[in-house]
Amino acid sequence: TQLLEQSPQFLSIQEGENLTVYCNSSSVFSSLQWYRQEPGEGPVLLVTVVTGGEVKKLKRLTFQFGDARKDSSLHITAAQTGDTGLYLCAADGGRYFQGAQKLVFGQGTRLTINP
Amino acid sequence: EAGVTQFPSHSVIEKGQTVTLRCDPISGHDNLYWYRRVMGKEIKFLLHFVKESKQDESGMPNNRFLAERTGGTYSTLKVQPAELEDSGVYFCASSQVPTDTYEQYFGPGTRLTVT
């Protein structure tokens, strides 16, 4: 059973369009991260959200943490071809784990922005 | 500042052979983690070191996997004997003294193929 469900798994859109990627769980997390991974590289941290309802912006990317700290979204405005990549959400182990340092990952959303 | 490095980047071995993966964390990071992504699945936690001590190894699949971090610097992950299901990408990550946000920095990964 996956603790973090990402949707959609694949998304292909045209440059200039907007998109939203979702990360959902039935668990409550103390924090949640969004990573981006390029082929042949490891995940690179984009943002960490900690407070329920928190919104963070990184240029054209807007990240939101749900009020109940169970879900998050990533919204990209006016997507560019350089946004193409694998986007992963990850959260701390939550109440299912004894250790606080484990990251639990979603399967990822593979985003393709077409010119 | 150098990031997390891993060696080798790729390894192809036959079933029954032994392979050792190496990870050099960011200098000064006491926390070191190993994760693995097998084909079609999400990235999963294997274990966590704090300096040279294993804090949590609950994600290690079985006793064919041995992780060490002598001296609290670099870490090795040995698989002996390797099985077909061990194929995947092995990521190492590091972080500073634990913070509330669990931010971890990932290496590029080692792609292991067992034939």
Side-chain angles (χ1 to χ4, degrees):
Chain A
T1 302
Q2 226 174 309
L3 290 182
L4 285 174
E5 296 281 349
Q6 280 190 247
S7 62
Q9 288 192 29
F10 300 92
L11 182 60
S12 180
I13 63 171
Q14 295 300 120
E15 196 169 26
E17 294 183 353
N18 302 331
L19 67 105
T20 302
V21 174
Y22 300 93
C23 177
N24 296 304
S25 176
S26 57
S27 301
V28 177
F29 297 108
S30 58
S31 68
L32 188 142
Q33 289 107 48
W34 283 93
Y35 290 83
R36 177 178 164 180
Q37 186 179 3
E38 304 277 3
E41 298 180 7
V44 175
L45 181 68
L46 296 174
V47 75
T48 300
V49 286
V50 178
T51 306
E54 181 177 6
V55 176
K56 282 191 173 179
K57 291 192 175 184
L58 188 64
K59 297 183 181 178
R60 295 173 294 99
L61 277 61
T62 301
F63 305 86
Q64 184 162 9
F65 202 12
D67 291 340
R69 290 184 288 125
K70 292 183 178 181
D71 53 81
S72 181
S73 63
L74 158 59
H75 182 80
I76 300 180
T77 303
Q80 300 177 357
T81 55
D83 296 328
T84 293
L86 178 66
Y87 290 82
L88 299 160
C89 65
D92 66 272
R95 61 187 175 87
Y96 288 98
F97 298 94
Q98 296 176 354
Q101 298 292 331
K102 303 177 190 186
L103 283 181
V104 176
F105 281 86
Q107 280 194 311
T109 293
R110 189 163 297 281
L111 176 64
T112 302
I113 309 300
N114 303 300
Chain B
E1 178 182 276
V4 177
T5 58
Q6 292 186 245
F7 182 85
S9 57
H10 294 84
S11 180
V12 180
I13 62 172
E14 293 183 353
K15 176 182 174 180
Q17 291 185 323
T18 298
V19 64
T20 300
L21 314 181
R22 173 171 170 146
C23 167
D24 286 78
I26 293 172
S27 178
H29 281 191
D30 286 341
N31 293 276
L32 187 148
Y33 316 82
W34 284 98
Y35 292 86
R36 176 176 75 170
R37 182 170 192 155
V38 297
M39 184 70 72
K41 301 287 188 181
E42 70 275 18
I43 296 172
K44 285 191 175 178
F45 169 87
L46 295 178
L47 86 158
H48 168 217
F49 284 99
V50 177
K51 296 184 180 180
E52 68 276 9
S53 299
K54 291 176 185 175
Q55 175 76 8
D56 185 342
E57 53 183 330
S58 60
M60 295 286 264
N62 49 61
N63 58 11
R64 295 186 293 103
F65 289 74
L66 175 64
E68 294 181 321
R69 192 183 182 194
T70 306
T73 54
Y74 71 90
S75 174
T76 58
L77 179 64
K78 183 163 70 173
V79 186
Q80 179 183 30
E83 298 289 344
L84 298 178
E85 64 264 27
D86 301 333
S87 295
V89 182
Y90 290 75
F91 292 104
C92 175
S94 71
S95 70
Q96 295 176 325
V97 173
T99 67
D100 290 338
T101 57
Y102 306 109
E103 295 184 25
Q104 300 178 17
Y105 299 87
F106 283 78
T110 293
R111 181 172 294 277
L112 174 65
T113 302
V114 183
T115 62

